[in-house]
Amino acid sequence: MHDDTQTLAHARIGILGLGLMGGSLALALRGRVAYLLGIERQVVARQMALRQGIVDEALEELTAGAPPLDLLVLATPLRVILDTLGRLPVLRPGGCAVVDLGSTKRAVVAAMSALPEAFAAVGGHPMCGKETAGLAAADGDLYRGQTFVLCRVPRPAPQAAAESLALALVAAIGARPLWLDAADHDRLVAAVSHLPAVVAAALMRGATDERQWTVSASGFRDAARLAGSDPRMMLDILLTNREAVLAALRDYQTDLAGFAAALEREDAAALAEWLAAAQVAHAAYRRYKSGEHLM
Amino acid sequence: MHDDTQTLAHARIGILGLGLMGGSLALALRGRVAYLLGIERQVVARQMALRQGIVDEALEELTAGAPPLDLLVLATPLRVILDTLGRLPVLRPGGCAVVDLGSTKRAVVAAMSALPEAFAAVGGHPMCGKETAGLAAADGDLYRGQTFVLCRVPRPAPQAAAESLALALVAAIGARPLWLDAADHDRLVAAVSHLPAVVAAALMRGATDERQWTVSASGFRDAARLAGSDPRMMLDILLTNREAVLAALRDYQTDLAGFAAALEREDAAALAEWLAAAQVAHAAYRRYKSGEHLM
């Protein structure tokens, strides 16, 4: 921990994207790093960040002429992360360490592995967020106690520069690092994050009548909540995690079809078993999550 | 309202089933009715109800020898409601008013319409609840501000005795009556209550691995919450609302299949439109629900 604090205290960090995630990261790093540069296209956010001392300096764009950085954090939408990684050799000719905050990892890690040797990279995915987007919603405690996934980038040389800076950053913001293989990560979040968002959207699409809303309560509210996700963000996620999402979706559709067939033929025993398996899994999941803070 | 209070103040009410719903109803009616009889099979609940003065008297079973009642409230699981309605002419030879609290209405209202003339009946469904079952979870405020659906029973004679007692009861517990046709009710709740529970169960069944839980957050927690529903209660609901649930499920499966096909062929435009429609509907739903207390 002492090493992490020292590592970071001398670091010059650039955050590309001062939205909810980038802005919260800046707030959490304030006072713990040598220099914080914010790169943000929207002038209102840029000005707010400067006015509130969230960053030391703010630019509209990352260019080769921007100040030197030890670590660049990519906190933009996924498609911009991938685009930035492609242009990074031109934007940072001297190289630097790079980490991202994107919701899917395989595509990002693949793009990172194509970077020239002057770069050291590690994939990142903090498992937290809020429904409200934008810098105004930023919260320095957003990451506290949350899991922050890190994915090694397969490269000839070790990526220690990026990995140690990323670990120091994760510690500084109060999050807990979890090393995962990028493809594993994408399969896991397909099941517990991406498929649930698709399923919630489909539920909402089937319930657009006020008469239905009148008789709805907290059950529908929670089941449909993810339908409010930003469509553009979801599109990026789906297109960069397409295979894992399709695999999870196919299994889901098959299971639902089995349920529908059992209901069609009024097979109470099969239905009872199907429902019981869900409830038993849910109870185990709740026990696991309630003990998580002890792990 | 004055009439409702007077109507209830002289009423002798029996509540069959002192679980969460029946127990909460008893607590909410305490002091507002002439006499409250609790009928409950489980001795622990029966004793708790007497000890805490939740009811004036408690029986293990409803028999012909039980005290006279103006209104009988059926607060048991659905299958017991249907069974009780079948035996009611024997249990209450003099007849009485009847209302239920069951989650589906068509089957219940059909059974009510077959009652002898000495009975007046109305279907009921309070749109509230908790995940915890049992009398220990009972809460006199459970119904306050909540919608309480009432369904007329098609019978030759008007069912005023049951309908006015039910309305008085709904007012006394602080709920808001909503008259619906029984079949309409069942179609509406299929979409916003029953299908969501099935969908949540299927999500949970596809996420039984601790590695998945480790990277899950509030998105999965909310999307899967209904998977913790009591399987026996869900089975009763599905079997008594089978057609409406199958219809909602078929539409849902068709919509998901269209989504899967679009993702398969990487049709960003179709995916974007699909997701946007969900998000727009969700925003309208949120606006509607936030203004509901004003209606």
Side-chain angles (χ1 to χ4, degrees):
Chain A
M1 196 62 152
H2 173 80
D3 282 347
D4 285 342
T5 315
Q6 286 305 308
T7 305
L8 226 51
H10 302 298
R12 296 172 56 83
I13 298 184
I15 301 176
L16 192 73
L18 292 180
L20 167 71
M21 302 307 282
S24 299
L25 185 67
L27 282 169
L29 289 174
R30 196 158 47 172
R32 301 170 192 264
V33 300
Y35 169 80
L36 254 181
L37 171 72
I39 304 121
E40 168 54 52
R41 291 222 168 139
Q42 294 194 27
V43 60
V44 171
R46 218 160 53 238
Q47 287 173 351
M48 187 190 299
L50 283 168
R51 195 168 51 243
Q52 296 182 12
I54 295 175
V55 295
D56 298 305
E57 210 174 329
L59 297 177
E60 184 179 351
E61 265 192 74
L62 183 61
T63 63
L69 299 167
D70 298 307
L71 175 68
L72 181 64
V73 181
L74 305 179
T76 56
L78 264 172
R79 68 194 178 285
V80 179
I81 290 175
L82 294 170
D83 180 67
T84 303
L85 286 168
R87 300 189 295 117
L88 211 48
V90 172
L91 300 176
R92 299 276 89 190
C96 64
V98 191
V99 67
D100 78 308
L101 307 185
S103 299
T104 70
K105 296 271 52 75
R106 206 185 44 77
V108 171
V109 164
M112 285 175 165
S113 69
L115 288 167
E117 272 184 44
F119 294 89
V122 66
H125 181 201
M127 310 301 303
C128 54
K130 277 193 211 176
E131 265 140 66
T132 20
L135 183 61
D139 174 3
D141 286 325
L142 187 70
Y143 299 95
R144 189 156 299 285
Q146 304 296 327
T147 296
F148 197 124
V149 172
L150 295 169
C151 301
R152 285 194 173 86
V153 180
R155 309 245 283 166
Q159 303 292 290
E163 291 173 9
S164 61
L165 273 168
L167 277 168
L169 180 148
V170 169
I173 64 180
R176 298 176 308 176
L178 175 67
W179 289 100
L180 288 178
D181 167 76
D184 273 354
H185 164 275
D186 284 7
R187 270 188 298 270
L188 295 172
V189 294
V192 298
S193 182
H194 307 158
L195 180 63
V198 172
V199 147
L203 269 181
M204 193 68 236
R205 283 167 57 90
T208 54
D209 183 343
E210 272 182 24
R211 299 183 75 220
Q212 293 166 320
W213 301 345
T214 299
V215 298
S216 73
S218 61
F220 182 75
R221 181 198 65 204
D222 292 344
R225 187 169 72 77
L226 291 175
S229 299
D230 174 44
R232 190 68 237 232
M233 178 192 79
M234 282 312 308
L235 183 65
D236 284 359
I237 284 171
L238 293 168
L239 291 177
T240 55
N241 201 17
R242 180 172 154 274
E243 283 172 31
V245 174
L246 277 172
L249 183 52
R250 276 186 216 109
D251 288 346
Y252 178 82
Q253 288 173 300
T254 300
D255 196 32
L256 266 191
F259 169 88
L263 186 57
E264 184 88 55
R265 64 180 188 267
E266 296 176 87
D267 189 338
L271 290 169
E273 195 184 314
W274 194 92
L275 293 165
Q279 197 240 8
V280 164
H282 190 260
Y285 155 76
R286 282 176 65 182
R287 278 195 305 271
Y288 182 84
K289 294 304 268 183
S290 67
E292 222 172 22
H293 64 283
L294 303 167
M295 297 180 190
Chain B
M1 198 62 151
H2 173 81
D3 282 348
D4 284 341
T5 315
Q6 286 305 307
T7 305
L8 228 52
H10 300 298
R12 297 172 56 84
I13 298 185
I15 301 177
L16 193 72
L18 291 180
L20 168 73
M21 303 305 284
S24 300
L25 185 66
L27 282 168
L29 289 174
R30 195 157 49 170
R32 299 170 193 264
V33 300
Y35 169 80
L36 255 180
L37 171 70
I39 304 121
E40 169 54 53
R41 293 225 166 136
Q42 296 193 26
V43 60
V44 171
R46 217 161 53 238
Q47 289 173 348
M48 187 189 299
L50 282 167
R51 196 168 50 243
Q52 296 182 15
I54 294 176
V55 295
D56 297 307
E57 210 174 328
L59 296 177
E60 184 179 351
E61 266 193 74
L62 182 62
T63 64
L69 298 167
D70 299 305
L71 175 70
L72 181 63
V73 181
L74 305 180
T76 57
L78 265 171
R79 66 193 179 286
V80 180
I81 290 174
L82 293 170
D83 180 68
T84 303
L85 286 168
R87 299 188 295 118
L88 211 49
V90 173
L91 300 176
R92 297 276 90 188
C96 63
V98 191
V99 67
D100 78 309
L101 307 186
S103 299
T104 69
K105 297 271 51 78
R106 203 183 46 77
V108 171
V109 163
M112 285 176 164
S113 68
L115 288 167
E117 272 183 45
F119 293 89
V122 66
H125 181 201
M127 311 301 303
C128 55
K130 280 192 207 177
E131 264 141 65
T132 20
L135 184 60
D139 174 2
D141 286 325
L142 186 71
Y143 299 95
R144 189 158 298 284
Q146 305 294 328
T147 297
F148 198 123
V149 172
L150 294 169
C151 300
R152 286 196 171 87
V153 180
R155 310 245 282 168
Q159 304 293 289
E163 292 174 8
S164 61
L165 273 167
L167 277 169
L169 180 149
V170 169
I173 66 179
R176 297 176 309 176
L178 175 67
W179 289 98
L180 289 179
D181 168 77
D184 273 354
H185 164 275
D186 286 7
R187 271 189 296 271
L188 295 172
V189 295
V192 298
S193 182
H194 307 159
L195 180 64
V198 171
V199 147
L203 269 180
M204 194 67 234
R205 284 166 55 88
T208 55
D209 185 344
E210 272 183 23
R211 299 185 74 221
Q212 292 167 320
W213 301 346
T214 300
V215 298
S216 73
S218 61
F220 182 76
R221 180 198 67 204
D222 292 344
R225 186 168 72 76
L226 290 175
S229 299
D230 174 44
R232 190 68 237 232
M233 178 191 79
M234 281 312 306
L235 183 66
D236 283 358
I237 285 172
L238 294 169
L239 292 176
T240 56
N241 200 18
R242 179 172 154 273
E243 284 174 31
V245 172
L246 279 172
L249 184 52
R250 276 186 216 110
D251 288 347
Y252 178 82
Q253 288 172 301
T254 300
D255 195 32
L256 265 191
F259 168 88
L263 185 57
E264 183 89 54
R265 64 180 187 266
E266 295 178 87
D267 189 339
L271 290 168
E273 193 182 320
W274 193 93
L275 292 164
Q279 196 240 8
V280 164
H282 190 261
Y285 154 76
R286 282 176 66 181
R287 277 194 305 271
Y288 182 85
K289 295 302 269 186
S290 67
E292 221 172 23
H293 64 284
L294 302 167
M295 297 179 190

